[in-house]
Amino acid sequence: MAKQNVAEQFVDILARAGVKRLYGVVGDSLNPVVDAIRRNPAIDWIHVRHEETAAFAAGAEAQITGSLAACAGSCGPGNLHLINGLYDAHRSMAPVLALASHIPSSEIGLGYFQETHPELLFQECSHYNEMISNPEQMPRLLQTAIQHAIGRGGVSVVSMPGDIASKPAPEKSIEHALVTTRPTVRPGDDEIDQLCRMVDEAKRVTLFCGSGTAGAHAEVMEFAEKIKSPVGHALRGKEWIQYDNPYDVGMSGLLGYGAAYEATNECDLLVLLGTDFPYNAFLPDDVKIVQVDVRPEHLGRRSKLDLAVWGDVRETLRCLTPRVKPKSDRKFLDRMLKKHANALEGVVKAYTRKVEKHVPIHPEYVASVLDEMADDDAVFTVDTGMNNVWAARYLTPNGKRRVIGSFSHGSMANALPQAIGAQFTDLNRQVVAMSGDGGFSMLMGDFLTLVQHDLPVKVVLFNNSSLGMVELEMLVAGLPSYGTSNKNPDFAAIARAAGAYGVRVEKPKQLQSALKDAFKYKGPALVDVVTDPNALSIPPKISADMVTGFALSASKIVLDGGVGRMLQMARSNLRNVPRP
């Protein structure tokens, strides 16, 4: 049997760790690894058109599967392109292994062609970032990188010169059993007892949930029922906690709606469950706050805590709920449910009034129809900006759907690349990219990746010919919009020229049939919907000191503009409120 080289050993270990594909763009320093993949049936090379797409795709795959995903870039500019997608994966706690191929080892530090220093470039967006400078470091260094990515939830970067990849792998190398799943973390009894006392002493408790409640829906509902607590959520918590939730009071933050803000500010104990919600202007400063998080570095970095609990949300609640005393007083919960329903009643007309005649098309209407027509287990990838608003307000979670976006990093152009990674996990599952014209055009070249791999991703393009969220930021800062308009082509014609299905929609009555036909099409499809750039309205009373750009440092307001099927759920929950 021929002796392995380092590249072959590298690929074998990735496959053993569960990696099924490596996203990237080929290049000279990366050639030994790509050739090893060509000869290894356990792993596929996924050729994309831009390395940023490779990193976004790997991050999305990791979020869908919960398993390690991988991407690669050749030396210098090649791996440098990975950095934005890696930042997003890292901040989303997606386990991703990135291979940053490097210049010849003998030339490092001498200003060689395409020389960069990956061990410095990726330091801030990784848990582990090291270079293989000698074959003897294999396989231990790669195994260590894998365990950092999986164990800590985030990115590991391994840089490797092309000449090292071609050298023989060390004999009698130490290969150990790889850790490929994360354990649950249970708080200590002292923390559980202290939290139990605080809950028992509080008259009005509100739960505010983030992405850390994934897999803990039943536990959160049981806890909320026992203590009669309203349940609000951050954007990343929506898909995990909003569905089948009789205690739902909506979402807080810039894109928020309903009574979540009131519930978090009018309670006397706020329990933050698995959320690193960044907008502290929306968090109270005059109530007791408890935070439960599996990442201890998240505890207390957004608000002053009265108790910090290091633990997995599900395990924490499994320990806590049996110990707390049941509460019988529903006054606070019922008052918040009524406020929530009233708030939604007040804005729902924004997308229902004369939508069949409104041209350009209301983007709210597009999102609402998309929500109705998409599969029950669809994966939505959502561009940053106004599409975050439409996804937050109109996509209805049900425990089977997934919604992925650049919700923590806030990058443009994420939806199309993330859809690529999501679709590769299951070619039969419906994947819909909710793209803005600004984000789509930024990485539009990777629409060709859909065609090349025949990925049945459906791109629904909200085309308002502007950078809508930036215009909004300028508006609330008292500035005239400038540099935000886009002169766009007919994107549907471009899709057809590329070999995909493409249709342009300019009138509301065309929308349903266009989406139906795109969803039925077996390959990649693009629906270019011309939407109203002035669709988003702002609450009528805004003082000058309320907002400071996007951070809304002193703001307690949320944007207005419709809520889709969430109103139906709020009305349903109101029926459970006892009548006096």
Side-chain angles (χ1 to χ4, degrees):
M1 182 176 178
K3 183 175 175 57
Q4 278 190 322
N5 63 22
V6 170
E8 291 167 331
Q9 188 181 53
F10 190 99
V11 171
D12 277 350
I13 293 171
L14 286 185
R16 193 155 60 87
V19 173
K20 293 182 170 58
R21 54 194 68 85
L22 194 65
Y23 300 89
V25 179
V26 297
D28 52 0
S29 59
L30 199 54
N31 286 345
V33 174
V34 175
D35 187 62
I37 292 173
R38 178 182 64 83
R39 292 179 281 108
N40 190 321
I43 191 166
D44 292 324
W45 175 258
I46 304 301
H47 171 49
V48 297
R49 301 305 175 100
H50 195 291
E51 289 91 350
E52 183 177 349
T53 295
F56 270 122
E61 178 182 323
Q63 290 179 71
I64 292 292
T65 65
S67 301
L68 185 69
C71 57
S74 59
C75 64
N79 63 62
L80 187 60
H81 284 159
L82 295 169
I83 196 164
N84 193 48
L86 292 183
Y87 260 96
D88 183 79
H90 194 57
R91 298 187 71 181
S92 301
M93 295 179 64
V96 171
L97 188 286
L99 170 59
S101 180
H102 208 347
I103 64 173
S105 57
S106 61
E107 300 294 338
I108 295 174
L110 298 174
Y112 191 72
F113 175 65
Q114 293 188 323
E115 181 174 9
T116 58
H117 291 87
E119 70 277 13
L120 301 177
L121 290 169
F122 298 103
Q123 194 63 39
E124 194 176 30
C125 62
S126 63
H127 291 305
Y128 186 84
N129 177 23
E130 297 290 346
M131 182 171 69
I132 299 174
S133 56
N134 189 306
E136 298 299 327
Q137 293 173 274
M138 282 288 289
R140 290 177 298 158
L141 190 145
L142 178 57
Q143 291 170 329
T144 302
I146 289 170
Q147 291 180 181
H148 272 77
I150 295 172
R152 298 186 65 183
V155 171
S156 283
V157 179
V158 174
S159 53
M160 181 167 60
D163 61 310
I164 299 296
S166 298
K167 289 185 177 181
E171 295 183 9
K172 299 181 180 179
S173 58
I174 301 172
E175 293 192 40
H176 57 73
L178 288 167
V179 174
T180 56
T181 58
R182 299 182 67 189
T184 55
V185 179
R186 179 198 184 279
D189 286 337
D190 289 345
E191 286 75 21
I192 293 293
D193 290 342
Q194 191 174 351
L195 177 53
C196 183
R197 285 194 298 270
M198 294 179 72
V199 172
D200 287 344
E201 292 170 1
K203 292 183 178 180
R204 303 181 305 277
V205 183
T206 292
L207 308 182
F208 187 69
C209 303
S211 61
T213 57
H217 184 275
E219 287 76 10
V220 173
M221 295 302 105
E222 181 184 4
F223 184 54
E225 165 58 29
K226 191 168 186 179
I227 65 171
K228 306 300 183 285
S229 169
V231 178
H233 59 267
L235 179 56
R236 291 190 65 199
K238 174 184 172 74
E239 63 177 322
W240 305 115
I241 215 66
Q242 188 191 35
Y243 69 95
D244 296 338
N245 181 355
Y247 319 101
D248 177 60
V249 292
M251 189 173 87
S252 190
L254 178 71
L255 312 182
Y257 53 81
Y261 174 77
E262 288 85 352
T264 55
N265 280 264
E266 295 180 22
C267 61
D268 50 29
L269 177 63
L270 175 61
V271 182
L272 305 175
L273 295 175
T275 178
D276 191 34
F277 180 70
Y279 302 112
N280 54 13
F282 290 90
L283 294 175
D285 52 17
D286 57 352
V287 304
K288 290 183 178 180
I289 301 179
V290 172
Q291 184 177 0
V292 179
D293 207 291
V294 74
R295 295 278 288 267
E297 66 270 26
H298 289 179
L299 295 170
R301 71 177 182 178
R302 307 301 182 193
S303 59
K304 181 178 179 296
L305 299 182
D306 294 273
L307 179 64
V309 180
W310 181 9
D312 174 86
V313 171
R314 184 169 68 172
E315 293 304 313
T316 299
L317 293 183
R318 284 179 173 179
C319 295
L320 176 65
T321 302
R323 301 191 193 188
V324 298
K325 297 175 183 177
K327 298 183 187 293
S328 57
D329 188 349
R330 289 182 53 104
K331 290 179 182 177
F332 178 61
L333 170 60
D334 293 343
R335 182 162 62 88
M336 290 300 112
L337 290 175
K338 290 177 182 177
K339 276 194 173 187
H340 180 59
N342 290 338
L344 300 194
E345 292 278 4
V347 299
V348 73
K349 292 180 182 177
Y351 82 100
T352 57
R353 189 187 301 117
K354 299 180 180 178
V355 293
E356 292 292 329
K357 298 180 180 179
H358 188 93
V359 178
I361 302 169
H362 276 306
E364 302 98 322
Y365 176 65
V366 180
S368 179
V369 173
L370 176 61
D371 178 57
E372 294 280 355
M373 296 184 66
D375 290 349
D376 285 344
D377 66 344
V379 178
F380 298 91
T381 61
V382 184
D383 260 344
T384 297
M386 294 313 305
N387 279 27
N388 273 196
V389 179
W390 316 138
R393 303 285 179 84
Y394 297 96
L395 295 185
T396 306
N398 57 12
K400 295 181 290 184
R401 286 179 166 180
R402 294 299 312 274
V403 181
I404 294 175
S406 188
F407 299 138
S408 295
H409 185 49
S411 172
M412 283 182 66
N414 61 284
L416 174 62
Q418 288 178 328
I420 292 170
Q423 190 71 83
F424 266 114
T425 66
D426 185 348
L427 295 178
N428 295 314
R429 189 175 187 180
Q430 187 181 74
V431 176
V432 180
M434 292 178 62
S435 296
D437 56 290
F440 180 76
S441 58
M442 184 177 283
L443 284 177
M444 188 167 59
D446 269 292
F447 189 80
L448 300 177
T449 300
L450 301 183
V451 177
Q452 179 157 335
H453 295 284
D454 198 25
L455 294 176
V457 169
K458 313 307 177 190
V459 178
V460 179
L461 186 59
F462 289 69
N463 182 2
N464 64 0
S465 297
S466 71
L467 303 177
M469 183 61 79
V470 181
E471 287 192 352
L472 174 62
E473 294 165 12
M474 290 178 173
L475 176 63
V476 297
L479 301 173
S481 60
Y482 181 75
T484 58
S485 61
N486 295 327
K487 185 176 181 180
N488 288 331
D490 183 337
F491 289 108
I494 291 177
R496 292 192 297 270
Y501 179 90
V503 60
R504 186 174 174 89
V505 178
E506 297 180 344
K507 296 180 180 179
K509 290 183 179 180
Q510 301 169 337
L511 180 62
Q512 289 194 16
S513 61
L515 288 175
K516 182 178 179 181
D517 290 344
F519 288 163
K520 286 171 58 179
Y521 187 73
K522 295 187 181 300
L526 183 144
V527 181
D528 180 7
V529 187
V530 180
T531 59
D532 186 353
N534 300 311
L536 190 70
S537 59
I538 304 295
K541 295 181 181 179
I542 305 176
S543 61
D545 62 350
M546 269 185 152
V547 292
T548 303
F550 190 72
L552 297 180
S553 60
S555 175
K556 307 298 183 185
I557 59 137
V558 295
L559 307 179
D560 192 6
V563 291
R565 283 190 280 177
M566 286 179 286
L567 177 60
Q568 299 173 21
M569 188 174 74
R571 288 170 173 168
S572 177
N573 289 346
L574 257 190
R575 298 189 190 107
N576 299 320
V577 175
R579 297 289 185 252

